[in-house]
Amino acid sequence: MQERGPSIANTLLALAAFVVVAAGIKLAAVIVVPFLLSVFLAILAGPPVFWLHQHRVPRWLAILTVILSIGGAVGLVGLLAAASLSDFANSLPGYQARLLSAWEQALAGLEDWLARIGIQQISDSVWDQSDLNRIFGTTAQFAGATLLQFGNIVTKALVAVLTVTFMLLEAFRLPKKLQPLLEQSGRTWGHFEAFARSVQKYLAIKTLTSLATGIAITLWVWILGVDYPIFWGLLGFLLNFIPNIGSFIAAIPAVLMAAVQYGGGTAFVVALGYVGINVVIGGLVEPQFMGDGVGLSPLVVFMSLVFWGFLLGPVGMLLSTPLTISVKLALEGYPDARWIATLIDSGKT
């Protein structure tokens, strides 16, 4: 007798369960976001810890070495970002005066051109500078609020580091604990190893290509003389984890800064540099190393960006691809849900 697919009732039940789970994740985002960050940091830190342990480094020393390395890197990034934001907040009045001067010169040139074609008077509201002042005021408030949040960010980072530490300690015992359960369900530890390898591959390659992107951006804007090149590089590094649109978002503030400092010509050159860096690294280098390891169609990558961003905010956008990979690998392990994994697969063989 031919086996039938899932019934309409089962499909509706699965959709209802999906909505309930998604709503629960949305409501519990305050707890879920730090936990997910810790999980993916632990997955990324696992290989160096096991490598050190295999080379006769004591377990506690291997974990401590990796944790201190991660904490040092995160702390360095935080200090550089805080220093750049503080300097930017202090320099904001100078940028405001420079932009207003350029605005007045542009308006004077426009008035002369309008006068030559016969238009003698324009309403004063067209030349009103209050909108620019309001924009700069909002920018200053945002920079100040971001600086005030750094204490809260540091506290959360310490909690995440402690969580990752305990996860790495548990990773040595996890295979023995799960083996009896896996044998009862007919599964093997290989399923979990395949999942970990796929996520590790994506995170490792994405981290290296994002680092290369950040370094290239820093050098490019530094050569062109744009202020805060290290900050723009850090921003490019972080936002490069967001697929499809992250690199374009990272370019906007740097291009605006170049326009304020030097005008439209330099801003255009900065924009060209961003495009070239992302084409070379994101379009040529990264696919060569990534291959078909992600296994997701471009449409699914974009939709996962929207979905996880809606549920978990900016962190969900950063982790959208590895989260979707995790869901795909989990669905492949269940015959009734394997068709969903096939739909979101890239289809490349």
Side-chain angles (χ1 to χ4, degrees):
M1 185 175 181
Q2 187 177 4
E3 184 180 357
R4 296 182 178 179
S7 64
I8 296 179
N10 290 336
T11 302
L12 293 176
L13 183 61
L15 289 175
F18 169 77
V19 172
V20 171
V21 172
I25 293 175
K26 177 71 174 177
L27 293 175
V30 177
I31 301 174
V32 173
V33 167
F35 176 76
L36 286 176
L37 279 175
S38 300
V39 168
F40 285 107
L41 280 176
I43 292 175
L44 191 60
V49 169
F50 290 121
W51 183 87
L52 289 173
H53 185 61
Q54 290 173 357
H55 287 75
R56 299 182 179 180
V57 177
R59 184 183 305 175
W60 66 270
L61 183 58
I63 295 176
L64 181 62
T65 301
V66 174
I67 290 297
L68 289 178
S69 300
I70 294 175
V74 173
L76 179 61
V77 169
L79 288 175
L80 291 174
S84 297
L85 283 172
S86 178
D87 190 25
F88 174 74
N90 294 329
S91 304
L92 198 58
Y95 292 125
Q96 182 177 2
R98 189 182 304 174
L99 184 60
L100 289 177
S101 176
W103 177 257
E104 291 174 353
Q105 292 177 4
L107 292 180
L110 180 59
E111 285 182 332
D112 292 340
W113 177 76
L114 291 175
R116 286 196 298 269
I117 64 175
I119 301 176
Q120 299 296 330
Q121 186 177 2
I122 298 294
S123 174
D124 292 338
S125 62
V126 177
W127 317 134
D128 189 7
Q129 299 175 354
S130 61
D131 291 336
L132 286 175
N133 293 326
R134 193 177 301 112
I135 291 172
F136 274 100
T138 303
T139 305
Q141 293 175 2
F142 173 76
T146 303
L147 285 174
L148 291 176
Q149 288 294 324
F150 261 87
N152 189 26
I153 293 173
V154 171
T155 302
K156 292 181 178 179
L158 291 175
V159 174
V161 168
L162 289 175
T163 306
V164 171
T165 302
F166 286 110
M167 286 181 176
L168 291 175
L169 288 171
E170 192 67 21
F172 288 93
R173 311 185 188 99
L174 193 60
K176 293 182 180 179
K177 289 183 177 181
L178 290 181
Q179 193 61 37
L181 298 176
L182 293 173
E183 292 177 354
Q184 292 178 5
S185 61
R187 289 170 169 265
T188 63
W189 182 249
H191 291 88
F192 291 92
E193 289 182 337
F195 159 73
R197 283 194 299 269
S198 297
V199 177
Q200 286 169 357
K201 178 182 179 181
Y202 173 80
L203 290 177
I205 294 175
K206 197 66 177 177
T207 300
L208 292 175
T209 55
S210 298
L211 182 62
T213 300
I215 293 174
I217 288 173
T218 300
L219 293 175
W220 181 250
V221 296
W222 175 74
I223 291 172
L224 295 175
V226 181
D227 289 344
Y228 315 113
I230 295 178
F231 179 74
W232 305 130
L234 289 174
L235 192 64
F237 166 75
L238 293 175
L239 293 182
N240 194 62
F241 283 91
I242 301 177
N244 298 328
I245 65 173
S247 299
F248 295 100
I249 296 175
I252 294 173
V255 172
L256 291 177
M257 176 61 73
V260 171
Q261 281 189 258
Y262 302 110
T266 303
F268 180 73
V269 175
V270 170
L272 283 181
Y274 269 85
V275 172
I277 291 169
N278 288 291
V279 167
V280 173
I281 297 179
L284 299 177
V285 176
E286 185 175 303
Q288 291 296 323
F289 290 95
M290 193 80 72
D292 298 331
V294 175
L296 301 174
S297 68
L299 176 61
V300 171
V301 171
F302 178 76
M303 294 303 296
S304 66
L305 174 69
V306 177
F307 175 75
W308 292 112
F310 170 74
L311 290 185
L312 303 175
V315 175
M317 298 174 72
L318 290 172
L319 299 178
S320 60
T321 299
L323 284 172
T324 307
I325 293 173
S326 305
V327 172
K328 174 177 174 289
L329 293 173
L331 293 174
E332 287 176 347
Y334 295 92
D336 293 338
R338 197 168 294 162
W339 62 276
I340 303 178
T342 302
L343 287 178
I344 67 177
D345 190 83
S346 62
K348 297 179 180 180
T349 55

